[in-house]
Amino acid sequence: MSSFLKFLVSSGDSPSSRRHKHPYYPQGVVVPNYAPNTLQLPMVLGAFGGGVALLMVAAVAVGKKVNKRLTWKDAGALAWFTLCGFLHCVFEGYFVLNHATLAGKQDIFAQLWKEYALSDSRYMTSDPFMLCIESLTVLTWGPLSLLAAYAIIRGNTSLRHIAQTIVSVGHLYGVALYFGTCFFQEKFRGISYSRPETLYYWVYYAGMNAPWVIVPAILLIQSSRTIKQGLSVLNKVKSMKGDSTASSGSSIYSGKAESIRSFDGSETKSSSRKDRESKREPSRDSRDGSKRDRVSEQAAYLRDEGRPESIAESRYENWEDSRADAREQLRKKKTGRRE
């Protein structure tokens, strides 16, 4: 008789009722194939936290070795982006790939997710919003975090602040959506995804997500100041180049004489650079005139010496003929090019 009563009691536990026996809120939410964790919480948190800390220390050590000028502020940013890259690509990537069977798994990542889901049960129910926001995080913020860490190690300031700005804005936007959806559900629909205990609501839900509000805000301010300083320096350099170009252009191409005051109070006209160059280099006509003067002087010398002037005249004629031939050849070349 007692065995028969036990059978009736056990038969009354339908599969739908058994699948609701879990610690998650809201009460009655369906968590398929849920299995309690087999490892103690300190062991799970210790193993995961130790591995993450070791990864961050290794990243900072590599950064110090590669970049000798790495400051402690940059080392802190490097550790932060290394942490973000690991969590986004590996830990959250695990959730995206295994969200449907996560409740029944017993590996360390699955047990960590089941523990954190006590503060947000949407991770156990394949919630569409969580899948979308986590997929975006895995595909964008994770790789960009690793890119920012690489830029810090290499000392590439431009690439570092571009990636840092994008990732920080993405983190702030994602956390705003995450908190906003929970607040909306609890405020207007009375649905709470977190257990009411202090550990789960304030430590897990609020405390573990707070760094993704504080640190990105600090990094975003830092990048904004750096970009502002760089742009101000660039504008000053451009203005200096513009002033120097304008001054040189006015001195070379203006062609207008500047009025300057001499020591005795009278005004004189200073020639432009073009005029000064023309004075330094005589024109073709002046060179021809000087040549003729030299020929006439040579003829006068020969006449005084009693020698015929025809020698000088013949030299001058030969020079004129060669000069005319050169002009004709130059004219033919120009005509051939035009044709």
Side-chain angles (χ1 to χ4, degrees):
M1 185 67 179
S2 59
S3 60
F4 179 71
L5 292 175
K6 290 180 181 179
F7 172 76
L8 291 178
V9 172
S10 61
S11 63
D13 292 337
S14 62
S16 60
S17 63
R18 285 197 301 269
R19 67 184 180 182
H20 291 165
K21 291 182 178 180
H22 55 73
Y24 301 108
Y25 270 54
Q27 294 179 348
V29 65
V30 178
V31 180
N33 303 318
Y34 170 74
N37 287 344
T38 58
L39 298 176
Q40 296 294 325
L41 180 60
M43 183 182 299
V44 175
L45 293 180
F48 183 77
V52 171
L54 183 62
L55 180 64
M56 295 168 65
V57 171
V60 173
V62 172
K64 286 284 188 180
K65 185 176 181 180
V66 174
N67 188 358
K68 302 297 183 182
R69 296 179 296 177
L70 191 70
T71 63
W72 285 109
K73 289 184 179 180
D74 293 337
L78 173 60
W80 167 256
F81 284 118
T82 303
L83 172 65
C84 291
F86 171 76
L87 292 180
H88 295 337
C89 293
V90 180
F91 188 58
E92 293 172 73
Y94 176 89
F95 164 77
V96 173
L97 295 176
N98 300 278
H99 64 91
T101 59
L102 190 62
K105 290 181 175 293
Q106 295 297 343
D107 54 80
I108 186 170
F109 280 2
Q111 295 197 36
L112 283 169
W113 276 116
K114 286 190 286 185
E115 179 66 22
Y116 177 77
L118 293 171
S119 67
D120 190 349
S121 63
R122 292 179 295 178
Y123 285 99
M124 292 290 105
T125 59
S126 299
D127 183 79
F129 171 77
M130 300 309 301
L131 287 175
C132 291
I133 198 70
E134 292 293 349
S135 299
L136 180 65
T137 301
V138 171
L139 296 176
T140 55
W141 312 141
L144 285 175
S145 296
L146 296 177
L147 180 63
Y150 171 78
I152 293 173
I153 292 175
R154 302 299 299 177
N156 191 334
T157 306
S158 302
L159 180 61
R160 177 257 180 98
H161 285 289
I162 292 173
Q164 180 171 298
T165 301
I166 297 173
V167 173
S168 298
V169 172
H171 283 158
L172 292 173
Y173 182 70
V175 173
L177 289 178
Y178 180 71
F179 283 141
T181 52
C182 287
F183 174 79
F184 180 85
Q185 292 285 359
E186 186 174 359
K187 181 70 175 178
F188 298 99
R189 296 183 179 179
I191 300 175
S192 177
Y193 297 108
S194 175
R195 292 186 61 88
E197 291 85 356
T198 302
L199 174 65
Y200 303 123
Y201 187 83
W202 291 107
V203 178
Y204 285 6
Y205 175 71
M208 288 187 176
N209 290 286
W212 275 265
V213 177
I214 299 172
V215 178
I218 295 173
L219 294 176
L220 186 60
I221 293 173
Q222 180 192 37
S223 295
S224 300
R225 290 177 178 175
T226 303
I227 293 172
K228 181 181 178 181
Q229 292 174 358
L231 290 176
S232 62
V233 172
L234 181 61
N235 291 332
K236 289 181 180 179
V237 171
K238 285 184 177 181
S239 62
M240 292 174 63
K241 285 185 177 180
D243 295 340
S244 61
T245 304
S247 60
S248 62
S250 61
S251 62
I252 295 174
Y253 300 108
S254 63
K256 296 181 179 179
E258 297 179 355
S259 176
I260 59 173
R261 188 171 298 276
S262 61
F263 291 104
D264 57 356
S266 62
E267 290 188 354
T268 59
K269 298 292 183 177
S270 64
S271 60
S272 63
R273 182 176 178 181
K274 186 175 181 180
D275 297 334
R276 291 195 298 269
E277 290 179 353
S278 63
K279 289 181 180 179
R280 293 174 186 172
E281 297 183 2
S283 62
R284 182 178 296 175
D285 296 335
S286 62
R287 289 196 297 268
D288 295 344
S290 61
K291 182 69 175 178
R292 294 191 189 94
D293 294 339
R294 287 196 298 272
V295 171
S296 60
E297 290 176 359
Q298 188 177 9
Y301 172 76
L302 292 174
R303 185 173 59 252
D304 295 338
E305 293 291 329
R307 300 173 65 181
E309 299 178 7
S310 59
I311 297 176
E313 293 176 355
S314 62
R315 289 180 180 177
Y316 178 74
E317 290 175 357
N318 293 335
W319 175 75
E320 284 287 345
D321 294 339
S322 62
R323 188 165 173 269
D325 293 340
R327 287 180 178 176
E328 183 66 22
Q329 291 178 2
L330 181 60
R331 187 184 64 79
K332 289 181 179 180
K333 287 182 180 180
K334 290 182 178 180
T335 306
R337 289 177 182 175
R338 291 175 183 175
E339 293 176 355

